[in-house]
Amino acid sequence: MKFPIAALLLCLAVSGASAEATYGAPPSGLADHLARLKRAYPDVILDYDKTKLTLKSGATIPISDGRRDKSFDELLDEPDIDDMFAFPYPAHAKPAAPAFNADPGRVRVESLFREIYGDCRQGAAALKMRRVPWFGGSVLITTRQGVDKALEAVSRDLEKLPKAMQKYLAPSAGTFNCRAIAGTTRLSTHAYGASIDLNTDFANYWRWSKAGKDRKVTWTNRIPAEIVDVFERHGFIWGGRWYHFDTMHFEYRPELLAR
Ligand SMILES: [Zn+2]
């Protein structure tokens, strides 16, 4: 008698899941997104067509896995290239609560990012990092793709903001860290040396806010728009633009910023 009950519960679970939004369909403007992706990483991406990226290493990565029925978790755990553009990134917009699950930039194809920055699990030297000054201290950041130079440009522009803004910026809560994202097996962009966290004293993070059964969280932010604007001008996206917000987090993702 146990089996029919289990089957009933499974049916309920499946019908519940089918009521949720599904992900995986090609996003609008895909051709523009791919052109921007190639422009963002010219040292890595040799060419692309409708079906695949061809990398200078000789590797190829398919644009689409053909799936259009991914759950939100599957979108993050099993993304293809076009999934990385599932949510438009609202660069230079006034900071505001994103739509449910809209996380532009949290979807990353790991095989591509390992080609772009190297694999920290083979030793930090693989990432070719160097220290750059950061408001009275210094941070370790990758030199690949010119991320170090982009962060120096960020720092120069941030110095022009009112002194009162510096409390948000330093001490940095970290840049390079060869680790997975909390609660997942996916590598964090901190593992590529291409991200920076600002001062934790002013950070808000979705995992610290209580999610209800419907997985809804309440967006909160204390980072001023002027700071976000500077980072976005130099190719960094902000974790405060994610439904699953991480407001101290910035990462180098020029492919998501119109230029
Ligand atoms: Zn971070």
Side-chain angles (χ1 to χ4, degrees), residues 109-166:
V109 173
E110 231 176 80
S111 58
L112 175 62
F113 282 85
R114 282 201 304 270
E115 292 267 358
I116 292 172
Y117 294 114
D119 189 338
C120 62
R121 292 166 296 194
Q122 292 165 2
L127 301 190
K128 301 201 187 311
M129 292 182 290
R130 75 173 177 95
R131 289 208 158 267
V132 303
W134 188 260
F135 298 93
S138 68
V139 294
L140 202 56
I141 199 89
T142 183
T143 60
R144 290 186 190 261
Q145 319 310 322
V147 181
D148 56 330
K149 293 195 178 72
L151 190 65
E152 283 175 324
V154 166
S155 158
R156 275 196 302 274
D157 280 1
L158 288 173
E159 275 170 18
K160 294 174 196 157
L161 295 180
K163 276 270 180 291
M165 296 260 181
Q166 290 199 2

Side-chain angles (χ1 to χ4, degrees), residues 190 197 246 249:
H190 290 285
D197 288 335
D246 181 358
H249 177 89

Side-chain angles (χ1 to χ4, degrees), residues 68-94:
R68 292 167 178 245
D69 60 345
K70 294 179 186 178
S71 67
F72 181 72
D73 289 340
E74 287 169 338
L75 179 72
L76 294 180
D77 289 336
E78 302 158 27
D80 59 20
I81 294 294
D82 67 21
D83 290 340
M84 297 207 303
F85 307 101
F87 308 107
Y89 184 85
H92 307 295
K94 187 168 172 272

Side-chain angles (χ1 to χ4, degrees), residues 174 179 188-190 195-197 246 248-250:
R179 64 166 171 83
S188 155
T189 46
H190 290 285
S195 300
I196 183 167
D197 288 335
D246 181 358
M248 69 176 168
H249 177 89
F250 290 86

